[in-house]
Amino acid sequence: MTTKQGTQYAITISDSNKFLDLFFSLTFDNGLTDAINVRQRFWASEDLFDPLYKKYFDPKNTKRKIKGTNLNDLDIIEKSEDDLKEFLNFMDEANAGFNLFETDNTFNTFTKLELKNGETERETPCN
């Protein structure tokens, strides 16, 4: 992924079941099957995803955590870092089984990003 500011990110999935559990309701139509376990997984996914979406991303929520940035804004770097912290908070709260890495434009150097004590921590490059 590339941000408007040109920062490169990569996501790796470490637990495919957790990842799918979060996004199941966005991936599959609840009306496609009558299987009880699929319906239960759909509703569990929706119950998990919807509040997180509203809290972090919903453009209708003026108090959403991830606001994005405006390229004309003088505080672009600070706000980008704030959004990054909130995205890492989202990842922790969702417990969705994926990791975030910052990378260069050739995708040859990867630095794992985590939230530690409320601050973004960049781990030693993972090459």
Side-chain angles (χ1 to χ4, degrees):
M1 299 179 292
T2 304
T3 67
K4 286 182 180 181
Q5 295 78 33
T7 306
Q8 306 282 337
Y9 293 103
I11 290 177
T12 61
I13 299 171
S14 57
D15 187 324
S16 58
N17 287 323
K18 285 182 179 182
F19 189 81
L20 185 56
D21 284 345
L22 177 65
F23 296 108
F24 194 87
S25 66
L26 300 173
T27 308
F28 298 98
D29 182 349
N30 190 32
L32 289 179
T33 182
D34 287 329
I36 292 172
N37 62 339
V38 172
R39 285 192 179 282
Q40 289 172 339
R41 193 170 186 187
F42 178 90
W43 291 114
S45 170
E46 194 160 275
D47 288 345
L48 174 61
F49 181 80
D50 283 354
L52 290 171
Y53 174 77
K54 288 175 184 169
K55 179 177 180 179
Y56 288 96
F57 303 103
D58 191 350
K60 296 176 197 169
N61 177 6
T62 58
K63 295 182 180 183
R64 70 184 180 274
K65 300 287 187 179
I66 298 175
K67 307 245 190 256
T69 57
N70 179 338
L71 290 174
N72 297 320
D73 192 336
L74 296 176
D75 296 327
I76 193 168
I77 294 171
E78 181 181 330
K79 287 187 177 183
S80 294
E81 192 68 20
D82 289 344
D83 280 350
L84 176 58
K85 285 180 197 177
E86 290 301 344
F87 188 78
L88 293 169
N89 275 322
F90 160 74
M91 287 175 52
D92 286 349
E93 194 170 339
N95 189 24
F98 65 96
N99 299 299
L100 183 66
F101 297 86
E102 203 168 49
T103 185
D104 61 8
N105 61 359
T106 62
F107 289 91
N108 287 321
T109 303
F110 297 89
T111 304
K112 188 174 184 179
L113 302 171
E114 292 183 305
L115 202 61
K116 299 221 176 153
N117 300 319
E119 295 299 320
T120 304
E121 182 172 292
R122 287 165 169 83
E123 287 189 7
T124 306
C126 312
N127 296 333

